[in-house]
Amino acid sequence: MRLFLFLIICQCAINSVKTHSASSPNVILLMADDLGIGDLGCYGNRTLRTPSIDRLAEEGVTLTQHIAASPLCTPSRAAFLTGRYPIRSGMAAFSRVGVFLFSASSGGLPSEEITFSKLLKQRGYATALIGKWHLGMNCESSNDFCHHPLSHGFDYFYGLTVTNFRDCKPGQGSVFLKGVQKSLVIPIEIAGITLVSLAIAQYIGFLKVPFQALGYCLLIATISLVALVFFFYHFRHLNCFLMRDHQIIQQPLSYENLTQRLTKEAVQFIGRNTNAPFLLVLSYLHVHTALHASKDFRGKSKHGLYGDAVEEMDWSVGQVLDVLEKYNLSDKTLVYFTSDQGAHVEEISSSGEVHGGYNGIYKGGKSMNWEGGIRVPGLLRWPGVIQAGVYIDEPTSNMDIFPTVVKLAKAQLPSDRIIDGHDLIPLLQGKVTRSKHEFLFHYCNAYLNAVRWHPGNSGSVWKVFFFTPNFSPEDSNGCYDSHVCFCHGGFITQHDPPLLFDLSRDPEEKVPLTPETESRFYEILEVVHLAVNNHMRSLHAVPDQLSWDNLLWKPWLQLCCSSLLQSCYCDYDSEESLLEVHSG
């Protein structure tokens, strides 16, 4: 009898654990930066070593048609956090620049937006973002932190508020220099010619211009030029810094053991929250340039510094999986791995080394809505709850993570706004075989670039392009002359009728279909145009967070951990590490 009661109690305890893990699982979301889908072993790479990431595929589900909501960092990450197309939150640019470039810009993810971190925090989850944010920081003052991660539902933040730039690492060149030179040459020439012409006109008596006015014009032009030179000369100190919560702890950022530091923070966060549900977003700086790798990985891969960075990131993923096993949390934790967009194919170092990744068979890359720019890794693992070793070739989106984790946490999806993502769990468990995404809309900044249509009664995945980027050189696979492709004007070619591809037959987007090669050509275009009209009617005007006014550097928003006279220098992070070593 006692044995019988003991067995019943044990079974109840087991059921209780299963129920707890299924109703409020831990959530770990791993996001790489600019990683190509072809860089991973589980997606076909045979030379880069990614055993830890491949392990997620072996023990979970591999999504082979996982789509980023944008081919650029800022809008893609906004969509990921909110489950909504970035055009809905004002996080899609009408100007040429589609991402935040400066820490002292006033744009960012609006406070009205609801992130999955906010909803999970309300459900009692401990929440942390470690790594890259790139969704703004301040609005009106240098300490209002209106766009900061802690204002969007995260309890803890350790990382960069902007992004990793070449300019942040000495000797790696500049992403701004060429653009600034091109942009400044003509205005400086015009200003110079105008001032000289006015001076000559004044001298010969043809035109009377007050010397005071000429002096003011010259003074304003000189101050503007000096301010610009000062800003870009000190770019690294002003924009490349590491924060813990609201405090700068390292300015400028040091790349020494950076991935180890991020990984250590992630492991420690998990260790602090073994007895309560947690949400961890580990947003890697790898493999965005400036490329970096610690001495344990440098020179070890077959693909130079880029390969070293990929393999170091894989090591970090392994550390996270190991700590879950250490605390017996693997069965209670949903782990997701992705990239914010495809590889940046135009990234080539000043010495000619390829610093961009590999998008496999797919055309194009970052900043483009060709498949290489938006088809990204999508790996999900939750032992005992979702399928293992399964490949799913249905259209899914990084916006789907929002409703997926919100429902797992038993939180309420917002009812006052459109959520464009769909819960992935039924698909991951094999309860359904079709994605809920009949249509996916692909934006290039704020411009609708292409539409994907997966009819419910067909295996075809139609993709319609309204315009495409002009590659430079023409026979290349990217926009090498401008470093990224742009979305309007002379940078694109409009198509009327639109280009049509069937990705189920032509995933490389090599041969556009025509009325002669596809009998339903006009019928397909008609359905897509109707879907576009319905989608456009669902959009509402919102403030443009990436307007020039919101993008430009504002000195009064600049954070500095010391003073400008001390070049905004501090290194509390290294000091803390030394204290830990000595105390250990």
Side-chain angles (χ1 to χ4, degrees), residues 22 39 48 56 76 96 105 107 169 216 223 228 276 302 307 413 420 432 459 488 500 507 512 517 526 551 559 582:
D39 288 327
L48 281 174
L56 290 175
S76 176
R96 183 186 299 184
S105 296
K169 191 178 180 187
Y216 279 134
I223 290 173
L228 199 62
K302 294 181 180 179
L413 286 172
D420 297 298
V432 299
H488 59 281
L500 174 65
T517 57
E526 187 178 346
L551 283 172
L559 284 183
H582 290 307

Side-chain angles (χ1 to χ4, degrees), residues 320-375:
V320 171
L321 299 182
D322 288 348
V323 80
L324 290 178
E325 286 190 359
K326 175 183 175 182
Y327 293 116
N328 296 316
L329 294 175
S330 296
D331 293 348
K332 303 175 187 177
T333 306
L334 173 68
V335 180
Y336 166 72
F337 180 89
T338 192
S339 177
D340 54 357
Q341 67 263 324
H344 192 172
V345 296
E346 297 95 343
E347 273 289 6
I348 298 175
S349 73
S350 55
S351 62
E353 183 180 358
V354 174
H355 278 190
Y358 176 52
N359 293 316
I361 65 170
Y362 303 111
K363 187 175 183 176
K366 177 179 179 175
S367 81
M368 311 171 227
N369 280 306
W370 294 113
E371 289 295 284
I374 55 175
R375 195 181 288 225

Side-chain angles (χ1 to χ4, degrees), residues 258-491:
L258 181 55
T259 303
Q260 281 93 331
R261 284 182 278 155
L262 296 174
T263 306
K264 179 182 175 184
E265 288 284 336
V267 167
Q268 288 179 340
F269 174 78
I270 294 169
R272 292 195 299 268
N273 293 282
T274 56
N275 296 318
F278 64 81
L279 163 70
L280 169 63
V281 179
L282 179 49
S283 177
Y284 291 104
L285 275 63
H286 286 321
V287 283
H288 195 294
T289 51
L291 293 179
H292 59 282
S294 68
K295 62 180 181 180
D296 290 340
F297 295 90
R298 206 174 302 134
K300 300 295 176 63
S301 79
K302 294 181 180 179
H303 291 282
L305 188 54
Y306 183 90
D308 300 343
V310 171
E311 293 186 359
E312 183 174 33
M313 178 174 60
D314 182 79
W315 164 85
S316 174
V317 172
Q319 295 297 297
V320 171
L321 299 182
D322 288 348
V323 80
L324 290 178
E325 286 190 359
K326 175 183 175 182
Y327 293 116
N328 296 316
L329 294 175
S330 296
D331 293 348
K332 303 175 187 177
T333 306
L334 173 68
V335 180
Y336 166 72
F337 180 89
T338 192
S339 177
D340 54 357
Q341 67 263 324
H344 192 172
V345 296
E346 297 95 343
E347 273 289 6
I348 298 175
S349 73
S350 55
S351 62
E353 183 180 358
V354 174
H355 278 190
Y358 176 52
N359 293 316
I361 65 170
Y362 303 111
K363 187 175 183 176
K366 177 179 179 175
S367 81
M368 311 171 227
N369 280 306
W370 294 113
E371 289 295 284
I374 55 175
R375 195 181 288 225
V376 293
L379 303 169
L380 296 104
R381 188 196 78 164
W382 186 4
V385 179
I386 66 175
Q387 302 173 93
V390 171
Y391 287 78
I392 296 177
D393 189 32
E394 285 286 300
T396 57
S397 169
N398 64 350
M399 297 184 291
D400 296 336
I401 298 305
F402 178 95
T404 301
V405 301
V406 167
K407 286 187 177 182
L408 287 176
K410 296 293 188 290
Q412 285 292 114
L413 286 172
S415 58
D416 63 341
R417 63 199 63 201
I418 292 173
I419 301 298
D420 297 298
H422 297 292
D423 181 11
L424 287 172
I425 293 298
L427 193 64
L428 301 176
Q429 292 181 327
K431 292 179 179 178
V432 299
T433 58
R434 301 284 298 195
S435 164
K436 288 187 178 180
H437 287 291
E438 183 179 2
F439 296 98
L440 279 170
F441 301 93
H442 305 306
Y443 280 85
C444 186
N445 287 354
Y447 305 97
L448 184 60
N449 186 183
V451 178
R452 193 185 220 89
W453 178 35
H454 185 37
N457 59 350
S458 168
S460 292
V461 179
W462 307 106
K463 190 173 177 186
V464 172
F465 275 96
F466 303 114
F467 63 85
T468 50
N470 297 330
F471 285 170
S472 54
E474 284 185 23
D475 59 349
S476 69
N477 189 41
C479 302
Y480 289 85
D481 292 346
S482 54
H483 193 61
V484 292
C485 294
F486 297 115
C487 304
H488 59 281
F491 298 103

Side-chain angles (χ1 to χ4, degrees), residues 4 11 21 46 65 67 141 222 241 258 303 352 394 408 486 490 508:
F4 178 70
Q11 187 61 46
S21 66
R46 294 292 171 262
Q65 202 176 156
I67 307 301
S141 69
T222 302
F241 51 77
L258 181 55
H303 291 282
E394 285 286 300
L408 287 176
F486 297 115
E508 298 169 67

Side-chain angles (χ1 to χ4, degrees), residues 24 33 60 118 124 190 203 276 303 311 320 343 393 397 425 525 540:
S24 54
D33 195 353
K118 279 183 182 177
I190 292 173
Y203 179 76
H303 291 282
E311 293 186 359
V320 171
D393 189 32
S397 169
I425 293 298
L525 293 185
H540 303 286

